[in-house]
Amino acid sequence: MKAILLLLCFFPLWASAQLRDDFADGNFTANPAWTGDAASFQVATQQLQSNGPAATGTQIALSTPCQASTGTVWEFWANLKLATSSGNLADVWLMATQADLKNTNNTGYFVRLGGTADEVSLFRKDSTRAAVLVIDGVDGTLASTTNNLVRVRVTRTTANRWTLERDLTGGRTFVAEAAQPIDGTYQRSAYFGVSLLYSSANNRAFAFDDFVVSDATPPLLARAIAVDSRQLDVVFNEAMDAATATNPANYRLQSGAVPTAARFFSAANAMAVRLTFGADFATQNVLEARNVADLYGNVAAGPLTAAFAGPPAAPQVGDLIISEIFADETPQVGLPLSEYVEIYNRSTTKVISLSGVKLGKPTSTTAFAVFADTAKLLPGQYAVVCGSTRISQFTQPGVKVYGPTNFPSLSNGGDQLVLRARDGRTLFEVTYSDTWYRDPKKKDGGWSLEMIDANSFCGGAENWTASTDPLGGTPGKANAVRATLADATAPTLLRAVALNATTVRAYFSEKLDSVSAAIAGRYALAAPGPAVVRAAPIGPDFRQVDLTLGTALQPSRPTTLTVQTATDCVGNASGPLQSAALALPEAAVSGDVVINELLFNPRTGGVRFVEVLNRSSKFINLQGWQIGNQKPDGSVDADVLSPGPLVLTPGQLLAFSTSSSNLLAYYPASSDAANLVQLSSFPTFPDESTALLFNSVGIEIDQLAYSKNLHLSLLSSQEGVSLERIRANGLSNGSNFHSAASAVGYATPGRPNSQAQDTPGGNQELTVTPEVFTPDDDGQQDFATLNYQLDQPGYAATVTVYDALGRLTRRLVRNETLPTTGFVQWDGVDDRGRKAAVGYYILLVELFRPSSGEKREYKKTVVLGARF
């Protein structure tokens, strides 16, 4: 008996068939309505038959709505009156997401009748890809060339196990294929239908009948997922009845909470229900569902249960950190040849959402890498983060891997890495260096840097070291070097700088808690100084705080910044008040800052340095200043002294080089680490040139024409010997510089010069100091100085040294115009570069004023001695 019946899911429990069509009504346009290539099909003798164009390669299809997907039985009758082949076959779509079954983007499952193997098989179709064989039927099942009669039954359980059965007589004595695989790739369906491919002679060779799709299985609760603190998405294994699935009374948490609202997640998806609750979820929850029915009236009395954690939380400072860095992948030790960083959820209870979290280098112009909205980390979970094309290299069981676009390139020698929240807040910062490996072999590559104690995540070099794992690192796993390394040290105030009249920047020894550091009441300037009205910690490392003042500072007027307390990012707070002196810098003019010491010929393995001295009463900011030397072609080889604020106080000196540690090693007793500044690059400073000092806008502040001839000729070697300024207020010329004393190791970087002399006092016109000198470069009376103070400008002078017998020993000055005050030095060397003999000497000074013709002559006695 033929019957026509289509029952949808909104009817009572007595309905067991969701789709039934035996074409007894003589059409396929109603009860149910099939759409597609309608002109290419007909109903004849109560069967659906093909009637398409007689053209080889033609594909025709019909489909009808059907949402049955799991816990379902599909059955149909077919007769293919042809010899099946790759160009003559029929696909019966059990589940399809699109009405157009010929669309290559369609997804779902279909039974294929025929094909090259003349079989009945089950396939899965993934979007745009070739169909995947799920159950491979016995070859030759449909071997007739004129009459391939078959009835097919396919069953899918709620556990996603598939069974394919057939009866080649068209009856119901089914024979099952041996394979019964599990495939749960697709859980949703929208259409059922047939798709035919044929050659020109077979356009009317396909017939179908008795389509029945049945679901007599109650629905299951697949999962529950917290969307936020009060919304929950509930997912069933099949399409649900709206009346029961969207009834809030059918749901509750085991804690007793019931939802205030329930609705389908979207109109196109009747498998997912969004529940809204009136209070926040606990960390762990269990949802219960009762008396919910599927689209076909099958009721699950329940309770159906699903456990779920509280919603993924946006990370806060200290939750998400970088715990491992692999910057130098060669030579390979055991890790993949790909850079990576490892991130870690420090929380023991919180699931962290990585949605919108950014990873990158703040100094780079490349956009930050951004994690996908679905990315998350469970409590205590690690994850590898690498380039998007390198994910497969780190994929292994138990290891979570993320490969966001724009993964930053990691510099081998060191770099700064930052994790930022979706709203731009800094979550974590690390500025690593290859010195952190603490192992010269591992520093060369193939080994990762691992954090030692994740609870001391604010630490720097002391909390990182090279991995000890035999593979070279532990990507996605607990670090091999993990150990307790508690941070109990409170931050200290290092210095303070006035950036402008109303802004003071405070520098601290470690990363601060950005919230407490922003409390303006913790900072004060010495009375009657201006009030601090705002405090702004500077990211990404929060070692600096910019303070806004209520009124302006006065230039070069010293004051003191006091910090009541400072708290680092792990909670250590400083105790007593801390303070730092500062003043508003003012512009320097030529001669305010001078070159005070120069080492241009270092020892083997040593580095060059230049020391500058502020001989003014001003506070001077050296930010953007440059030091350099003039090259033979007239150009200048220069480097910046400081890209950031660096204030030189009155009388202060600073020595600049490429390695402060090198200067401390070569001059351990005569250098001061507090006054050494390390630069990344430095001018060449050959043996003869002009050293130049420029301010931030390129104006020359000082210059010194130097050469190796300025050194004491009695030195056995000039290597590692600096030239020191003799008088701070003297001219920047060769006569005001002398070789540093041997007693201090031949240089004084960051310390007062060993050969410095104060300007002599008194009103004498000409004086010689000391009266006895010993030119042995021991730093004590190494040269004699003729100091002069003239009554008026315009004198030209000649200064000559004679021994006690009146013999010419040395011409010091020849017809040089002199300023009104100054000095001339004699180092005890004669005109032939040899040390003069011990004894008495006469310094003959001849002064002449060309404007008036006036002449003066003076004789001064000095003794050249020797130490015994």
Side-chain angles (χ1 to χ4, degrees), residues 6-24:
L6 170 65
L7 297 174
L8 300 178
C9 64
F10 307 101
F11 290 89
L13 287 177
W14 47 262
S16 63
Q18 284 66 59
L19 172 68
R20 181 186 297 273
D21 200 344
D22 58 8
F23 304 102

Side-chain angles (χ1 to χ4, degrees), residues 115-470:
T116 303
D118 301 327
E119 62 188 8
V120 179
S121 299
L122 178 66
F123 283 84
R124 184 185 77 239
K125 177 62 171 61
D126 301 324
S127 178
T128 71
R129 299 179 182 176
V132 177
L133 192 60
V134 178
I135 297 179
D136 187 5
V138 176
D139 292 356
T141 300
L142 306 179
S144 173
T145 60
T146 59
N147 188 40
N148 290 297
L149 184 64
V150 65
R151 187 181 293 271
V152 177
R153 182 168 66 189
V154 180
T155 304
R156 180 185 187 181
T157 70
T158 54
N160 299 310
R161 185 174 296 280
W162 293 83
T163 302
L164 174 62
E165 302 173 284
R166 52 181 165 72
D167 183 343
L168 299 182
T169 69
R172 301 184 60 79
T173 305
F174 290 105
V175 175
E177 298 291 350
Q180 294 186 2
I182 292 176
D183 189 316
T185 306
Y186 299 109
Q187 299 290 328
R188 296 171 56 190
S189 177
Y191 297 94
F192 174 90
V194 296
S195 176
L196 312 179
L197 177 65
Y198 57 81
S199 58
S200 58
N202 297 317
N203 62 319
R204 296 185 178 184
F206 299 86
F208 300 91
D209 204 354
D210 297 338
F211 289 114
V212 179
V213 181
S214 303
D215 179 356
T217 306
L220 298 176
L221 182 53
R223 60 188 179 277
I225 305 169
V227 179
D228 54 33
S229 60
R230 298 191 178 187
Q231 291 192 99
L232 183 69
D233 280 352
V234 180
V235 182
F236 294 91
N237 70 327
E238 58 179 318
M240 299 296 290
D241 164 43
T244 59
T246 60
N247 183 356
N250 289 340
Y251 305 93
R252 67 183 294 272
L253 299 182
Q254 285 187 350
S255 64
V258 296
T260 58
R263 62 178 178 84
F264 280 134
F265 181 74
S266 69
N269 185 2
M271 295 173 63
V273 179
R274 176 160 291 180
L275 306 179
T276 303
F277 288 80
D280 291 350
F281 298 124
T283 302
Q284 298 296 328
N285 309 271
V286 177
L287 175 73
E288 296 179 350
R290 291 178 171 84
N291 301 316
V292 289
D294 64 15
L295 197 60
Y296 314 111
N298 301 302
V299 177
L304 306 177
T305 62
F308 67 95
Q316 302 301 314
V317 175
D319 287 343
L320 183 65
I321 65 172
I322 294 173
S323 54
E324 189 171 350
I325 302 168
F326 188 49
D328 189 354
E329 66 271 33
T330 56
Q332 188 173 26
V333 174
L335 295 172
L337 290 170
S338 295
E339 297 176 350
Y340 70 84
V341 299
E342 176 188 83
I343 57 176
Y344 174 55
N345 178 2
R346 292 183 61 252
S347 172
T348 58
T349 59
K350 188 188 303 182
V351 178
I352 287 181
S353 170
L354 299 179
S355 173
V357 170
K358 304 176 183 67
L359 167 67
K361 300 192 294 187
T363 57
S364 173
T365 58
T366 303
F368 273 43
V370 182
F371 288 89
D373 289 344
T374 56
K376 64 182 180 180
L377 282 181
L378 301 178
Q381 188 174 29
Y382 298 86
V384 176
V385 186
C386 59
S388 57
T389 62
R390 307 300 177 95
I391 295 175
S392 61
Q393 296 185 19
F394 297 96
T395 301
Q396 56 178 298
V399 175
K400 183 179 284 286
V401 184
Y402 290 114
T405 303
N406 291 335
F407 177 78
S409 175
L410 309 179
S411 297
N412 296 348
D415 233 328
Q416 184 179 37
L417 296 173
V418 174
L419 288 170
R420 286 180 178 160
R422 178 185 285 274
D423 60 6
R425 291 177 298 112
T426 297
L427 299 173
F428 179 81
E429 181 274 342
V430 60
T431 303
Y432 69 89
S433 166
D434 59 7
T435 60
W436 290 12
Y437 288 96
R438 311 184 197 181
D439 186 317
K441 292 183 179 179
K442 292 182 177 181
K443 175 182 175 181
D444 287 339
W447 297 83
S448 73
L449 282 171
E450 293 186 342
M451 182 180 283
I452 298 172
D453 188 349
N455 292 323
S456 298
F457 58 88
C458 292
E462 73 282 356
N463 196 33
W464 290 79
T465 191
S467 177
T468 57
D469 190 275

Side-chain angles (χ1 to χ4, degrees), residues 31-92:
N31 299 320
W34 298 72
T35 59
D37 298 314
S40 296
F41 289 88
Q42 65 181 2
V43 175
T45 64
Q46 298 186 0
Q47 293 177 347
L48 180 66
Q49 299 177 358
S50 60
N51 188 30
T56 296
T58 297
Q59 185 178 7
I60 58 176
L62 285 179
S63 66
T64 187
C66 182
Q67 297 187 57
S69 59
T70 185
T72 301
V73 178
W74 294 267
E75 187 175 317
F76 61 90
W77 176 95
N79 191 357
L80 277 58
K81 302 174 183 179
L82 49 79
T84 67
S85 66
S86 61
N88 290 278
L89 53 83
D91 291 338
V92 179

Side-chain angles (χ1 to χ4, degrees), residues 720-738:
V721 182
S722 70
L723 287 174
E724 293 183 328
R725 177 179 287 267
I726 299 172
R727 290 188 181 167
N729 293 319
L731 297 176
S732 292
N733 56 31
S735 64
N736 194 26
F737 280 79
H738 192 278

Side-chain angles (χ1 to χ4, degrees), residues 674-763:
N675 293 325
L676 303 182
V677 180
Q678 185 165 304
L679 307 181
S680 59
S681 58
F682 205 67
T684 53
F685 288 116
D687 286 351
E688 183 172 354
S689 184
T690 298
L692 301 164
L693 182 64
F694 301 97
N695 68 10
S696 59
V697 293
I699 297 174
E700 184 180 298
I701 300 298
D702 191 34
Q703 69 164 266
L704 169 64
Y706 69 90
S707 74
K708 61 184 180 180
N709 295 329
L710 295 182
H711 275 299
L712 179 65
S713 61
L714 301 178
L715 291 172
S716 59
S717 173
Q718 295 182 358
E719 287 189 356
V721 182
S722 70
L723 287 174
E724 293 183 328
R725 177 179 287 267
I726 299 172
R727 290 188 181 167
N729 293 319
L731 297 176
S732 292
N733 56 31
S735 64
N736 194 26
F737 280 79
H738 192 278
S739 302
S742 61
V744 295
Y746 296 106
T748 55
R751 286 186 182 273
N753 292 348
S754 62
Q755 303 290 16
Q757 287 185 356
D758 293 330
T759 303
N763 296 316

